[in-house]
């Protein structure tokens, strides 16, 4: 039996970036699993998942147009209990009736424990079109979506509104309905770089057509690799390293369909602010990639990933620089404001900060920390006074402007402010 590639695409509005890769992988795996269970593939499914901001898709190789005929064996009552005085019991008659067979059509098979009556027949394989709608609907239902939404007058629900459905087996449209949409072979490309509808010629040409006609790198993995390569090339040219984790790279990959990496910068005076603050606001608020020099110090250059390709990207760069300047100005303001008060002077405010509703405030917690720290330091032969001082100031940065804006920096800012207050380096590092 000849087989062909199957393509399924859900065209949506912009999907949640932090969940995109997971959604794409789950959708593809569920469709492939459904095809395997329906015996529409010989052996294990070979599939490719696609996920971009506006689409989830899967391409499965070697899918049959029709199931193979299957030998079905329906097992019934035990032979020992199925006949009485040479006549079939009600149990045997009921089994035969339920199986749509006559008593004389039944055979005797061994079920591993005993001989039983059985009805054996060949079930004609069903065509792909009869099975695929349920497979896709089940895959959609299994997606890990914490919150669903409705759109328009539809009663269907999904993570985002769905506006298009492609189901192609080779170059043939498989007629199914999913989320109120009828299957076809048309989709949309990039919102700005593509023009009009794209007709997918066959299931195998999907990725190529999306790339060439739609300006969409449909594969999440390929977009991520392209972004990583471009980031490394730009950073290498500046003799810098990129300060970013895998989560940021994944999120940015989920925000663009046609990634273009651009270099931008900000004023040097912002580097007076602790670099952890600047890096965090660049990564968390703006999804930019900070650059570190060969000594690990933050540079006043950064990389951004645009979803647009233009002959002159200067307006994109300047726009992003303007937005970042406002963010860095906020961080600079918080840092300067925080320096107007010492960590010691902030301690009374901790009495109004709840640590735990059954064991008191942060101020009460500090009293316990001081006592415990001093006790342990004495037992270890360490400086008990220094340990007690570090414990006393350890939570004071919780009531600073900077930590109020960026809770992730608690401890880190305490270290910087302790140095500014004239505390010893030992105490500053203990606070961190």
């Amino acid at each position: 039996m000849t087989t062909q590639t199957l393509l399924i695409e859900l065209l949506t509005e912009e999907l949640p970036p932090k969940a995109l890769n997971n959604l794409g992988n789950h959708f593809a795996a569920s469709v492939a699993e459904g095809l395997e269970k329906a015996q529409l593939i010989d052996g294990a499914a070979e599939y490719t998942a696609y996920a971009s901001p506006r689409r989830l898709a899967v391409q499965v190789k070697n899918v049959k147009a029709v199931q193979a005929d299957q030998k079905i064996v329906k097992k019934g009552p035990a032979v020992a209990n199925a006949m009485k005085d040479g006549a079939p019991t009600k149990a045997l008659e009921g089994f035969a009736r339920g199986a749509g067979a006559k008593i004389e059509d039944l055979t005797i098979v061994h079920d591993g424990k005993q001989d039983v009556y059985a009805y054996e027949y060949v079930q004609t394989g069903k065509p792909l079109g009869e099975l695929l709608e349920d497979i896709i609907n089940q895959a959609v239902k299994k997606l890990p979506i914490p919150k669903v939404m409705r759109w328009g007058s539809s009663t269907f629900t999904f993570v985002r509104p769905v506006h298009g459905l492609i189901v192609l087996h080779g170059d043939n449209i498989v007629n199914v309905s999913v989320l109120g949409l009828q299957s076809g072979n048309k989709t949309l490309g990039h919102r700005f770089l593509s023009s009009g509808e794209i007709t997918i010629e066959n299931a195998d040409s999907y990725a190529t057509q999306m790339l060439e006609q739609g300006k969409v790198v449909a594969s999440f993995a390929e977009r991520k690799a392209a972004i990583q390569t471009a980031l490394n090339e730009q950073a290498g040219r500046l003799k810098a390293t990129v300060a970013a984790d895998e989560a940021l790279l994944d999120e940015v990959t989920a925000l663009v369909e046609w990634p273009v990496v651009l270099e931008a910068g900000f004023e040097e005076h912002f580097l007076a602010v602790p670099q952890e603050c600047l890096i965090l606001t660049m990564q968390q608020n703006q999804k930019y990639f900070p650059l570190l020099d060969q000594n690990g110090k933050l540079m006043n250059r950064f990389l951004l990933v645009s979803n647009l390709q233009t002959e002159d990207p200067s307006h994109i760069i300047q726009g992003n620089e303007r937005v970042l300047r406002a963010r860095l100005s906020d961080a600079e303001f918080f840092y300067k404001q925080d320096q107007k008060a010492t960590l010691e002077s902030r301690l009374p405010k901790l009495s109004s900060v709840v640590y735990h509703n059954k064991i008191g405030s942060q101020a009460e917690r500090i009293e316990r920390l001081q006592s415990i720290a001093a006790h342990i330091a004495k037992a270890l032969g360490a400086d008990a006074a220094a340990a007690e001082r570090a414990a006393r100031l350890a939570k004071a940065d919780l009531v600073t402007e900077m930590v109020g804006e960026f809770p992730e920096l608690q401890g880190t800012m305490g270290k910087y402010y302790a140095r500014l207050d004239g505390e010893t380096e030992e105490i500053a590092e203990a606070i961190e």
Side-chain angles (χ1 to χ4, degrees):
M1 182 184 293
T2 58
T3 61
Q4 297 186 84
T5 301
L6 175 70
L7 170 71
I8 301 166
E9 184 206 64
L10 292 174
L11 179 67
T12 70
E13 292 182 16
E14 276 71 9
L15 294 160
K18 290 184 179 179
L20 179 65
N21 192 33
N22 195 31
L23 289 172
N25 289 334
H26 268 82
F27 180 66
S30 293
V31 168
E33 181 184 2
L35 291 168
E36 284 180 3
K37 286 183 177 178
Q39 298 184 23
L40 286 162
I41 303 174
D42 288 326
E46 181 185 341
Y47 66 91
T48 304
Y50 297 101
S52 81
R54 300 174 66 202
R55 71 204 74 241
L56 297 178
V58 58
Q59 199 177 53
V60 189
K61 300 286 187 183
N62 304 320
V63 177
K64 302 173 184 176
V66 182
Q67 279 179 323
D69 293 345
Q70 300 175 58
K71 182 180 179 181
I72 306 296
V73 179
K74 287 187 175 181
K75 295 176 183 177
V79 171
N81 304 320
M83 304 290 286
K84 187 175 183 181
D85 300 328
T89 62
K90 288 184 177 180
L92 183 60
E93 289 177 341
F95 168 68
R97 188 166 52 252
K102 297 177 181 179
I103 297 292
E104 54 267 28
D105 294 332
L106 302 181
T107 59
I108 295 175
V109 300
H110 194 74
D111 69 353
K113 295 182 180 179
Q114 59 186 344
D115 288 337
V116 299
Y117 278 97
Y119 179 54
E120 301 179 63
Y121 64 98
V122 174
Q123 178 176 285
T124 304
K126 294 181 180 179
L128 176 65
E130 285 187 25
L131 301 165
L132 194 53
E133 184 170 309
D134 184 60
I135 290 172
I136 299 173
N137 280 317
Q138 288 303 314
V140 168
K141 287 179 183 177
K142 290 178 184 177
L143 286 176
I145 303 172
K147 280 188 177 182
V148 295
M149 63 185 296
R150 292 189 177 91
W151 56 96
S153 58
S154 166
T155 58
F156 295 99
T157 59
F158 196 60
V159 62
R160 290 292 185 271
V162 184
H163 298 301
L165 172 67
I166 289 179
V167 184
L168 283 177
H169 187 225
D171 55 7
N172 298 313
I173 297 172
V174 182
N175 187 27
V176 300
S177 177
V178 176
L179 296 171
L181 295 166
Q182 197 61 33
S183 55
N185 62 351
K186 299 183 187 301
T187 189
L188 297 175
H190 192 285
R191 278 197 187 276
F192 307 109
L193 301 178
S194 177
S195 56
E197 282 188 330
I198 300 168
T199 301
I200 302 300
E201 295 169 5
N202 60 70
D204 288 303
S205 68
Y206 177 70
T208 301
Q209 283 190 258
M210 293 308 298
L211 186 71
E212 295 176 355
Q213 298 176 33
K215 296 296 182 183
V216 171
V217 181
S219 166
F220 187 95
E222 288 179 16
R223 276 200 321 282
K224 181 176 177 179
I227 292 170
Q228 183 73 78
T229 299
L231 288 171
N232 290 340
E233 287 176 355
Q234 292 269 34
R237 185 175 55 79
L238 295 168
K239 296 182 180 179
T241 56
V242 178
D245 57 15
E246 199 77 10
L248 177 61
L249 183 57
D250 282 342
E251 189 173 359
V252 170
T253 302
L255 287 167
V256 298
E257 291 192 314
W258 189 257
V260 178
V261 175
L262 302 172
E263 179 195 340
F266 57 88
E267 291 81 355
E268 282 194 41
H269 68 84
F270 287 119
L271 294 176
V273 179
Q275 69 178 43
E276 292 91 340
C277 308
L278 307 182
I279 289 172
L280 188 61
T281 194
M282 279 192 274
Q283 293 178 339
Q284 184 172 291
N285 297 127
Q286 302 307 132
K287 315 307 175 191
Y288 296 154
F289 293 86
L291 294 171
L292 305 179
D293 66 18
Q294 293 173 329
N295 296 316
K297 297 296 183 182
L298 182 67
M299 301 170 65
N300 68 325
R301 309 299 296 168
F302 65 93
L303 302 176
L304 63 100
V305 181
S306 172
N307 194 35
L308 281 175
Q309 186 174 41
T310 63
E311 290 183 7
D312 179 14
S314 60
H315 61 289
I316 298 175
I317 294 170
Q318 290 165 9
N320 281 276
E321 288 177 340
R322 187 167 58 251
V323 172
L324 180 60
R325 190 176 299 117
R327 289 287 188 180
L328 299 186
S329 294
D330 288 343
E332 185 179 51
F333 173 77
F334 294 145
Y335 186 54
K336 288 179 178 178
Q337 285 295 107
D338 285 343
Q339 293 179 53
K340 294 179 180 179
T342 63
L343 291 177
E344 178 72 33
S345 69
R346 296 180 184 276
L347 294 177
K349 292 183 180 180
L350 292 175
S351 59
S352 61
V353 179
V354 175
Y355 169 52
H356 190 285
N357 61 2
K358 292 185 178 180
I359 52 178
S361 66
Q362 286 287 2
E364 292 170 298
R365 181 189 185 193
I366 283 174
E367 291 178 8
R368 295 191 291 271
L369 285 176
Q370 286 180 252
S371 175
I372 294 168
H375 179 78
I376 294 174
K378 287 177 183 175
L380 295 174
D383 187 337
E388 188 172 355
R389 179 65 177 168
R392 178 173 175 78
L393 300 177
K395 304 300 174 185
D397 66 348
L398 290 175
V399 289
T400 61
E401 297 280 351
M402 190 70 85
V403 174
E405 181 71 12
F406 301 110
E408 300 90 340
L409 293 176
Q410 56 184 287
T412 299
M413 295 314 300
K415 173 187 70 175
Y416 283 104
Y417 295 144
R419 287 171 177 168
L420 291 170
D421 292 348
E423 303 291 342
T424 65
E425 185 62 22
E426 183 182 44
I427 288 175
E429 290 179 2
I431 290 171
E432 183 185 32

